[in-house]
Amino acid sequence: MSKIVIIGGGHAAAQLATSLRMKKFEGDVTLVSDEPVVPYQRPPLSKMYLSGEISADRLPILREQAYEGAGIKLKLGLRAIKVDRSARTVTLADGSALAYDKLILAVGGHARRLTCPGHDLAGVHYVRTMTDTDSMRGEFNTARSIVIIGGGYIGLEVAAVARKAGKKVTVLEAADRILQRVVAPEVSEFYTALHRAEGVDIHTGQMVTEIEGNDRASAVVTADGSRFEADMVVAGIGLIANTDLAEGAGLETTPAGITVNATCQTSDPDIYAVGDVTWHHNAHYDRWLRLESVQNAVDQAKVAISHIMGEDEPYDALPWFWSDQYGLKLQIAGLSQGYDTLVTRGSPEERSAAFFYLKEGRMLAADCVGRIAEFMNAKKIIAAGVNVDENMLKDDSRPFKEIAAEILGS
Ligand SMILES: Cc1cc2nc3c(=O)[nH]c(=O)nc-3n(C[C@H](O)[C@H](O)[C@H](O)COP(=O)(O)OP(=O)(O)OC[C@H]3O[C@@H](n4cnc5c(N)ncnc54)[C@H](O)[C@@H]3O)c2cc1C
């Protein structure tokens, strides 16, 4: 096998390139991305890149020279539009075609768009690509008031950056609490209190029905008739997986993503998919899911390359994720869905706490705010699948490392 084509310009694509280099793959590798720049880190787009604390030159995951040095050909600013599985070619938007022996789809997703009247007015923004953040920067710097639609991680991170910049910030969330899809009510309460203390106006149960404005957005209207004035609007309302290429090629997909097996192969064994775009099985939780996390993109890329190189290292990772708001780091280990008990350790009031999600006495997940030891050790406890004692977890007078060692019997 001598030709690998990678489609994508995110974390997964960069890791594919790194892994191929590390495994000393000697064939022909081409990386195609429809973005005009080398694969870059997306998390800073709603954090330090938006705030201006870091500049664009800090975003690339690998420098262009690293691809050159590894003999990886880059085709940037070019979209892959068709995969012909019988001819084993990928057609690009400029009409050229690339032959492959193994094709890897690391195509991620795109921001879900608003569809209400006024959704296409100037001044309505999303945060998925560097271009998105660049195109809002001018307005962001001068706007006095910002309405953020969506109280998920991206919306809340933008809210934190905007408050730090002294803007009037309103967050509108359709559900009855922020972060509803991903955390327990207690953690939603913690983040609601945090943002309110920092001056963010949070409104839950508010379904946006219209963006008002003449030439540009000036207010957001919700179903109960409330009206929130804004100089600019940022929507963080979810991700849609880029399954179009796979669907066109007749690969198995679901509405959530491209279906892959434990070695990241799609329904065609010569085509792999990795990262945000995959609908995959998580062995630890025995669940099919799609994950939006850097760690998953990196882990799946490693699995795909190992498999291509003839090694058998099936995907078996415990999901983890992080979010930065007001200088506070939230680190999440595992998946909390299905928990029956929440144990709080530490002091949410003092902005230092760990929330452990238990099911039938075992730890499923942990949300750790400013608690690195809890995060690191919770990962081990979750992976071990052992019984835990609630009172022991709560005992903040003992270092968590010591508690974890006792739980793990080591
Ligand atoms: C603002 C923001 C903040 C985030 N913060 C965090 C965080 O704090 N922690 C965390 O773990 N995760 C975070 N994430 C999620 C994380 O960035 C993603 O999980 C990660 O980028 C997924 O990588 P990926 O390579 O699978 O997909 P993507 O990063 O989406 O990359 C896919 C690439 O493929 C390209 N592409 C798609 N279709 C084609 C085509 N047909 N032809 C050519 N190119 C194509 C796209 O343009 C893109 O470059 C954040 C995401 C965003 C947007």
Side-chain angles (χ1 to χ4, degrees):
M1 169 252 311
S2 60
K3 285 195 180 83
I4 294 183
V5 174
I6 299 168
I7 313 288
H11 284 270
Q15 183 60 45
L16 290 165
T18 302
S19 295
L20 282 168
R21 212 162 42 138
M22 284 176 62
K23 303 264 178 198
K24 307 212 179 320
F25 178 76
E26 286 177 350
D28 193 56
V29 184
T30 307
L31 187 155
V32 180
S33 171
D34 59 2
E35 295 196 67
V37 291
V38 288
Y40 59 92
Q41 305 172 64
R42 247 167 253 287
L45 299 181
S46 53
K47 308 178 181 79
M48 290 171 95
Y49 185 61
L50 177 63
S51 67
E53 284 162 87
I54 62 168
S55 55
D57 62 336
R58 294 267 304 277
L59 295 184
I61 300 164
L62 296 172
R63 302 273 150 206
E64 195 157 343
Q65 301 85 299
Y67 296 93
E68 279 164 22
I72 297 172
K73 287 184 218 103
L74 293 176
K75 286 193 176 279
L76 304 178
L78 256 186
R79 193 165 174 73
I81 53 172
K82 189 179 164 209
V83 176
D84 183 334
R85 287 164 54 198
S86 47
R88 287 170 179 256
T89 57
V90 183
T91 306
L92 308 185
D94 63 358
S96 63
L98 293 171
Y100 68 82
D101 296 303
K102 301 284 180 197
L103 173 66
I104 314 178
L105 303 174
V107 289
H110 58 276
R112 182 185 296 281
R113 304 272 149 173
L114 295 163
T115 52
C116 61
H119 68 92
D120 50 358
L121 283 169
V124 178
H125 295 273
Y126 300 86
V127 197
R128 181 70 196 173
T129 64
M130 221 166 129
T131 311
D132 289 340
T133 302
D134 289 343
S135 69
M136 77 159 80
R137 190 181 303 285
E139 284 175 49
F140 188 80
N141 289 344
T142 56
R144 278 166 299 135
S145 62
I146 299 187
V147 168
I148 293 162
I149 303 175
Y153 290 117
I154 290 179
L156 295 178
E157 288 177 351
V158 172
V161 172
R163 272 307 297 149
K164 231 174 137 191
K167 303 184 188 303
K168 178 177 184 300
V169 181
T170 305
V171 171
L172 303 179
E173 166 57 53
D176 61 6
R177 58 186 174 89
I178 57 171
L179 298 172
Q180 191 200 37
R181 218 167 40 89
V182 278
V183 302
E186 290 82 346
V187 184
S188 294
E189 268 167 39
F190 172 81
Y191 275 96
T192 302
L194 173 70
H195 279 272
R196 287 192 173 141
E198 296 288 342
V200 176
D201 195 15
I202 296 183
H203 297 263
T204 54
Q206 291 285 3
M207 179 61 82
V208 170
T209 51
E210 185 179 354
I211 314 282
E212 279 183 4
N214 291 323
D215 49 342
R216 53 173 295 113
S218 57
V220 178
V221 180
T222 58
D224 68 3
S226 304
R227 192 171 171 280
F228 302 89
E229 290 192 359
D231 295 328
M232 76 182 274
V233 176
V234 180
I237 53 170
L239 179 100
I240 298 180
N242 291 327
T243 52
D244 48 340
L245 209 51
E247 278 165 22
L251 299 175
E252 192 183 319
T253 61
T254 72
I258 304 174
T259 309
V260 294
N261 65 13
T263 50
C264 293
Q265 288 164 294
T266 65
S267 50
D268 178 335
D270 290 326
I271 305 182
Y272 294 72
V274 294
D276 277 18
V277 77
T278 65
W279 177 246
H280 63 270
H281 184 257
N282 185 286
H284 185 82
Y285 294 97
D286 192 15
R287 254 179 64 196
W288 282 85
L289 42 83
R290 187 169 63 71
L291 290 171
E292 293 165 30
S293 85
V294 168
Q295 170 246 353
N296 177 61
V298 167
D299 285 347
Q300 288 193 322
K302 289 180 183 167
V303 166
I305 297 303
S306 292
H307 193 255
I308 287 172
M309 297 300 285
E311 298 159 15
D312 201 14
E313 288 171 27
Y315 177 81
D316 183 22
L318 189 75
W320 59 266
F321 185 82
W322 78 92
S323 173
D324 297 323
Q325 296 166 47
Y326 307 107
L328 268 189
K329 188 168 278 299
L330 165 67
Q331 292 168 300
I332 299 172
L335 303 172
S336 57
Q337 283 82 358
Y339 75 97
D340 54 36
T341 307
L342 187 87
V343 176
T344 304
R345 172 184 171 85
S347 167
E349 302 74 33
E350 288 167 31
R351 300 184 174 182
S352 172
F355 302 88
F356 300 114
Y357 298 81
L358 313 187
K359 184 180 181 188
E360 292 161 9
R362 293 183 181 178
M363 196 183 287
L364 276 185
D367 295 344
C368 306
V369 183
R371 292 264 173 161
I372 180 119
E374 279 77 351
F375 171 68
M376 299 305 290
N377 288 291
K379 285 204 280 190
K380 294 181 198 159
I381 297 172
I382 297 165
V386 289
N387 282 319
V388 293
D389 180 305
E390 286 180 38
N391 290 323
M392 221 157 120
L393 294 177
K394 269 186 211 160
D395 183 0
D396 211 18
S397 67
R398 285 179 73 192
F400 197 70
K401 195 172 171 203
E402 195 182 292
I403 295 174
E406 196 174 323
I407 291 173
L408 294 166
S410 54

